[in-house]
Amino acid sequence: MHIVVCIKQVPDSAQIRVHPVTNTIMRQGVPTIINPFDLFALEEALRLRDRFGGEVTVLTMGPPMAEDSLRKALTFGADRAVLLTDRCFAGSDTLATSYALAAAICKIGETWGVPDFVFTGKQTIDGDTAQVGPGIAKRLGLNQLTYVSRIVEVEPSSGRLLVQRRAEGGVQELESRLPALITMLEGTNDIRRGSLDDALRAARAEIVTWNAAAAGIADLSPCGLRGSPTVVKSVFAPKPRAEKAEQIATAGTAPDEVADAAVAEIFRRLPGLEAELLS
Amino acid sequence: MPTYTAPLRDMRFVLYDLHGGGRLARLPGCEECTPEVIDAVLAEAARLCEEVLFPLNRAGDEEGCRLADGAVATPKGFREAYRLVREGGWTALACDPAFGGQGLPHAVKVLVDEMMCSANLAFALTPGLSFGAYAALYAHGSEALKARWLPPLVDGRWTGTMCLTEPHCGTDLGLLRTRAVPQGDGSYRVSGTKIFISAGEHDLAENIVHLVLARLPGAPTGVKGISLFLVPKLLVGEDGRPGARNGVSCGAIEHKMGLCASPTCLLNFDGAAGWLVGEPHKGLRAMFAMMNLERLAVGIQGLGLAEAAYRNAAAYARERLQGRAPSGAKCPDKPADPIIVHPDVRRMLLTQRAIVEGGRALAVWTALALDDHARHPDSDRRREAGDLAALLTPVAKALLTDLGFEAANLGMQVFGGHGYIRDHGMEHYVRDARVTQIYEGTNGIQALDLVGRKLPAHGGRLLRGFFHPVAAYLDATAENAVLAEFTRPLAKAFARLQQATAHIARAGLKNPDEAAAAAADYLHLFGLVALAYLWTRMAEIARTKAEDDGFHRAKIGTARFFMDRMLPRTAALSAAILAGGRSVTGFDEGDF
């Protein structure tokens, strides 16, 4: 089984500051981490590999320093790391990013075998669009399974796949077929700890580094800024609505009395609700 | 509940920026130890310590170890944690690749050790002793012994102990009575009782390899008649699998002030099968191969606990609202100011911080000397490094544990009454820290080792390995006005140390009691000057760093505090030393 996991190096949002005037993110001196959602994807991929055998290839697009994230992924036990880096990718939005990553996944398939799975996190913590995974799936014609909370069954021989995904108001159980792209939901697993062996292997490993040409991208027009229709018009912090909390008068301080007062107030403000609920 | 986050940033600063640890990759056998490799190792070690070992610390202390029918049960979770440590390859970190080790340098090991000690010292003792046993066996065992016993010690399937102490002899091993009788087949029968044996019996691993000091029949009396034996808990068959029980049993475990989750055992050897390690009657020398590493390791224990106590005290001082700053309210919108506004609280926190970061610099310096001693291609450099390591080892052990205890105690003080009760974990650090001043040679013994052995050795050659670089550094920075706030107090304290050294050399020659009476003060004087030298260099480096994210600013601030508020202790120490030992040695014994 060959599994490709797409990861992204992001600034550690816990330590990020926003410029008070321009409202842009001040990345200087902020440590970078693997996008936390991608770690759930990576762990799920590693578990599938451990169960069925095969290889996990991690892929990222970014500046040369994104290599750190790939090494980290190798520490957790990934078998191979590919860094897609080229100046022509600078300024990519989600459309251009998914174009470049899809091309690189094709190249990975040609080189080490067509992947059965492509994994991504559900979204990144810096962009929060959740668009790149679906973009890759669409371009590669993979079955697209987003917000997956659990992989219930995998039958590599028949290619049958059963997953649970979070949907509004509940959990959907979906049956699909390989090859598939899965975007993994947070909290689905815990990334394993790397052993000393893995840490040393990762630090010594050769990172496969491709520019656009090496990744087999001939047409550069859909890449980078040129290939990105998204334009940031302005960035602003929403004004907090400074409303004073209202107080509801209660008959007493016993829990029942407080609850009664709150419910009465809700019913007063939403006429018809009481009838609807209690009818 | 306390928290633990490994201080990786400071570790990198000390290893690379201060001590030029990037050069480790140029040492033979360390070619792969680039900063990238070391960073990856430290980061994974940090996760192991934060996520696996630290959460067991408090519960392990509460539960303790239990002895029933000769078997010791460690606290809940320890077995699983040990399995993770072992499977993660961490027991093999600094061992020879020929026996399955990873061959990483001591400079990396001390940092990993520090994290383990901060996270869970009681747990860390077992793999720590295994490494000591590995080191002694590696240095002195025959090829056949090494081939059989080292691989399982390296990969952690088996653990090791060092069995020195007997009920009537601790510091003075010349008194020991355990006997070993040759059997004619190359093996021996070992009989006697050993006490205070850490990890002497437990349920973490399938076998235990005891290294036991004992006497051969007709051996000379005193320390010149002691030999070292390997005695396994379970006998090992030709297939290398442990089988029948050897004649070693755990008769009791001690009830202790701290380190409750580490079994401290009384071991009875009743004609147990053993094998000689090294030459007959040279056992003490073989044991010292591991003792020196263990002494540095104990210093690291003090450091690790100080680090844990400092971080938690600093966090608490920021949050605890109580009273107002002496100069007026700093947080008028709150019911009270956080206690960190108080100069006395800041004094305690900065003392802890100066101890921790200075101590880390001293520990890594010593470890790098061990690495150079073991691996440097130039034989002169190897000898110099060996001299420095020998000189710094007793200082690192005693200073880092004395100051480590001080720091742990200050951590409790910052918490006030909440530090004295168990809930916040601060009294736990104090209890665990206390024994580090006692075991592996009390700090008094370390001081005697420094003054009685290390100073006079080779006509004072060891001392030059420290005095020369400090003097050269002071010369080189004499014109540096910006650094003067650090170099001036350093030069002053260094002069005190030189004067005290000359005094001890003179007085000690006439009367050894004079040197012995000054030894403990001298060790602290020496240690504080070493820290001052390291703090000055750290401040110098921090000044050249452009990034202003608070880290380097705090480094300079802590250096300033050390110079202003801690280094003056050298004045008192030097005065006490120069006053002589008359009042100590002359006091009539009957009047005590």
Side-chain angles (χ1 to χ4, degrees), chain A residues 223 236 265:
Chain A
C223 291
F236 61 93
E265 179 65 17

Side-chain angles (χ1 to χ4, degrees), chain B residues 68-338:
Chain B
D69 302 327
V72 170
T74 53
K76 193 162 164 281
F78 273 48
R79 286 170 60 118
E80 172 68 5
Y82 184 77
R83 188 181 65 76
L84 291 172
V85 167
R86 188 173 89 62
E87 289 178 358
W90 298 101
T91 55
L93 187 86
C95 302
D96 186 341
F99 297 100
Q102 296 287 3
L104 289 174
H106 289 291
V108 175
K109 185 171 190 303
V110 293
L111 295 175
V112 173
D113 281 353
E114 185 206 306
M115 292 187 233
M116 291 181 80
C117 295
S118 292
N120 194 330
L121 177 55
F123 178 91
L125 286 185
T126 303
L129 282 153
S130 294
F131 183 74
Y134 157 86
L137 202 52
Y138 181 72
H140 299 280
S142 66
E143 291 310 314
L145 276 186
K146 282 154 75 165
R148 161 150 294 192
W149 300 96
L150 283 185
L153 270 178
V154 168
D155 79 8
R157 264 179 297 142
W158 303 349
T159 66
T161 71
M162 40 205 290
C163 302
L164 286 75
T165 306
E166 297 180 6
H168 60 284
C169 83
T171 299
D172 185 0
L173 291 166
L175 300 174
L176 73 81
R177 290 178 190 151
T178 299
R179 309 250 147 223
V181 181
Q183 299 300 295
D185 62 350
S187 74
Y188 295 80
R189 291 281 165 197
V190 178
S191 301
T193 298
K194 296 285 180 180
I195 60 164
F196 299 168
I197 309 307
S198 296
E201 173 60 39
H202 58 74
D203 55 2
L204 301 178
E206 64 177 6
N207 203 2
I208 302 175
V209 181
H210 303 291
L211 290 186
V212 184
L213 288 181
R215 286 183 189 287
L216 288 165
T221 51
V223 292
K224 296 214 164 78
I226 298 173
S227 307
L228 182 63
F229 296 87
L230 183 157
V231 182
K233 166 182 165 183
L234 301 178
L235 294 166
V236 176
E238 282 309 312
D239 59 354
R241 302 285 313 151
R245 187 86 206 202
N246 199 2
V248 189
S249 59
C250 176
I253 58 175
E254 305 294 344
H255 301 276
K256 312 191 294 285
M257 171 182 182
L259 297 178
C260 301
S262 163
T264 304
C265 304
L266 179 149
L267 292 183
N268 290 312
F269 294 83
D270 300 309
W275 290 267
L276 182 68
V277 179
E279 294 173 45
H281 314 318
K282 300 264 174 72
L284 211 55
R285 212 185 59 186
M287 192 59 110
F288 263 89
M290 76 200 252
M291 289 277 282
N292 279 326
L293 287 173
E294 291 297 314
R295 285 180 172 176
L296 175 60
V298 174
I300 304 295
Q301 295 173 8
L303 171 63
L305 293 169
E307 160 72 30
Y310 165 63
R311 294 287 158 196
N312 284 290
Y316 184 78
R318 279 206 195 91
E319 285 166 10
R320 172 77 170 167
L321 302 180
Q322 206 72 191
R324 291 293 182 191
S327 53
K330 295 271 163 74
C331 303
D333 52 326
K334 293 190 177 142
D337 288 340

